[in-house]
Amino acid sequence: MAPAPRRDLLAKEHFAFVFGSAKTQQYTDPAARGPGSHTIRTLAWNPTGQLIATGSADRTLRIWNPERPSPKYSTELRGHSAGIEKVLFNPVRDAELASCSTDGTVRFWDVRSKTCVSRLDVGGEAFTLSWSADGSTMVVGKKDDTLIPISVQSPSSPNIIGNESNGAGRSSYSVSKPGASTYTALTPHPQPVQTNATTFSHHVASPTSPDLHLFATTGDGTVKIMSYPSFDILHTLNAHTSACMAISLAPTGKYLAIGGSDALISLWDTTDWICQRTLSSENGGGIRGVSWSFDGRFLCGACDEQGCGGNGLEIFHAETGESVYTVPTTGVNAGVPAVAWHPSRYWLAYSTTNDGPGSGGPGGLKIVGAGGKEQR
């Protein structure tokens, strides 16, 4: 796949105009059979932004071409026997997808051949994944608050076919076809508190700096910063007054965004670990997911509670904390379970629920910006 073109950075003052004039594309999954039957819980773009994966409560895993919303251009990947909780592409291998499910498995897929290339039984309900920046390590979170590392070994180094700055201080990669990788579950690490979500730092391990940083949100309102692979706690952030449920590191590495059940998103400066500001949506409801735009300047949160989508999906400017635009979402009872920014464009993917009367229309995947020519 050719790398997606780099986009000019968008000024805060122009944001409302761009999103206000952008079309929203609807993607209707043929597996949806009625209200509440097909809630998309998780979204993920591949590294080039030319594919997007969706995982649903009814165990449907689908790969979409964002340029072609018709389901005939999508691919269903079959294998999970229960709801899919998280999907995530390998950051440096554009056709390698991981998914986890309450069926107790983590599956790895080659989306080109449409096959499951590996399945790991993790011995419990898996509900979250995070992948290291170089794609060599994954951490799986289970509902019994156990973290399981997975080693991902490829027969040869990925062939990078594009490597340029995305304008935000971080390189963007496009990668050629992966070879047959091997996946090995390592020693589990039970956690002493409820552990909800994890993410890795952008650091890539090297002989001089072999350890990575792993961030884990907890049910007591803290975020643990751990050294990987030892899982030793380096620092604890007292982030929220109630459970921390979502976490995302800005592409620039400048801020760590933490979403809480208190309906707030807190932004932490990664140089001194001081909270710079908190963001609050008019919709209220616990923050289940947080996503950054490719330039690290805009972010939004997902809330799957009823009514969260009634007033729209708010987008915030990170440096000022201002709400710069609200994406209209249909339905006073609709929730927005998942959001995901495109890796190199100002396109925003999100899902909505369709919980029957008052939901305002069909749920499923929507992408702001994919329905027409991009404006600047």
Side-chain angles (χ1 to χ4, degrees):
M1 293 182 179
R6 187 179 71 81
R7 299 296 166 187
D8 294 334
L9 301 186
L10 182 63
K12 172 173 68 75
E13 295 76 17
H14 299 157
F15 195 91
F17 170 77
V18 171
F19 265 68
S21 57
K23 293 182 180 179
T24 299
Q25 190 69 262
Q26 169 82 42
Y27 304 75
T28 302
D29 196 314
R33 295 182 178 86
S37 68
H38 188 73
T39 298
I40 293 176
R41 290 175 172 169
T42 177
L43 304 169
W45 295 92
N46 76 339
T48 60
Q50 294 177 316
L51 299 172
I52 185 168
T54 59
S56 304
D58 64 357
R59 73 190 184 201
T60 301
L61 175 58
R62 190 169 294 276
I63 310 300
W64 299 88
N65 178 346
E67 304 278 2
R68 296 188 171 192
S70 172
K72 71 180 181 180
Y73 297 110
S74 70
T75 300
E76 183 178 354
L77 302 177
R78 299 182 180 182
H80 284 296
S81 59
I84 296 166
E85 298 291 331
K86 185 78 173 180
V87 294
L88 207 58
F89 279 94
N90 187 322
V92 296
R93 300 174 78 85
D94 66 342
E96 186 176 5
L97 177 73
S99 60
C100 69
S101 167
T102 52
D103 65 9
T105 69
V106 178
R107 293 173 182 260
F108 296 89
W109 310 82
D110 183 333
V111 300
R112 259 187 313 271
S113 63
K114 308 175 185 178
T115 57
C116 177
V117 295
S118 184
R119 163 185 159 166
L120 294 179
D121 293 306
V122 294
E125 296 179 292
F127 75 102
T128 189
L129 304 169
S130 55
W131 221 317
S132 64
D134 64 358
S136 67
T137 298
M138 171 173 281
V139 167
V140 178
K142 299 194 303 176
K143 290 187 177 180
D144 64 358
D145 305 318
T146 299
L147 298 178
I148 300 178
I150 294 176
S151 171
V152 182
Q153 294 183 327
S154 301
S156 60
S157 299
N159 180 22
I160 305 298
I161 59 177
N163 181 3
E164 62 175 14
S165 172
N166 64 7
R170 184 181 175 193
S171 294
S172 59
Y173 296 96
S174 173
V175 187
S176 66
K177 294 182 180 180
S181 299
T182 57
Y183 309 89
T184 307
L186 306 178
T187 303
H189 288 261
Q191 300 301 298
V193 294
Q194 177 184 328
T195 303
N196 296 321
T198 61
T199 192
F200 277 99
S201 64
H202 297 325
H203 168 68
V204 175
S206 68
T208 57
S209 183
D211 289 348
L212 306 178
H213 286 172
L214 178 69
F215 306 94
T217 64
T218 73
D220 63 9
T222 63
V223 170
K224 306 295 183 184
I225 304 176
M226 295 183 264
S227 178
Y228 182 88
S230 68
F231 285 86
D232 293 336
I233 297 176
L234 304 176
H235 194 58
T236 300
L237 305 180
N238 294 302
H240 290 259
T241 57
S242 57
C244 297
M245 300 189 296
I247 192 164
S248 182
L249 186 63
T252 58
K254 182 176 182 180
Y255 292 120
L256 183 69
I258 303 167
S261 60
D262 54 8
L264 299 175
I265 300 173
S266 58
L267 298 185
W268 295 76
D269 190 310
T270 58
T271 57
D272 52 19
W273 297 117
I274 293 176
C275 182
Q276 296 298 304
R277 60 192 59 87
T278 57
L279 312 176
S280 177
S281 171
E282 293 182 1
N283 297 330
I287 305 298
R288 293 283 179 179
V290 179
S291 183
W292 291 89
S293 60
F294 71 93
D295 54 5
R297 300 163 83 187
F298 305 99
L299 75 161
C300 59
C303 170
D304 60 1
E305 298 175 19
Q306 279 196 347
C308 279
N311 296 319
L313 178 61
E314 272 189 279
I315 299 173
F316 298 93
H317 183 244
E319 289 297 336
T320 63
E322 295 177 58
S323 176
V324 293
Y325 187 71
T326 301
V327 177
T329 55
T330 58
V332 294
N333 292 331
V336 181
V339 293
W341 284 95
H342 189 281
S344 62
R345 296 175 182 258
Y346 293 109
W347 288 7
L348 180 65
Y350 66 98
S351 64
T352 57
T353 57
N354 60 335
D355 292 326
S359 67
L365 171 65
K366 299 175 178 67
I367 304 178
V368 182
K373 188 176 293 185
E374 185 176 28
Q375 301 183 45
R376 301 179 188 177

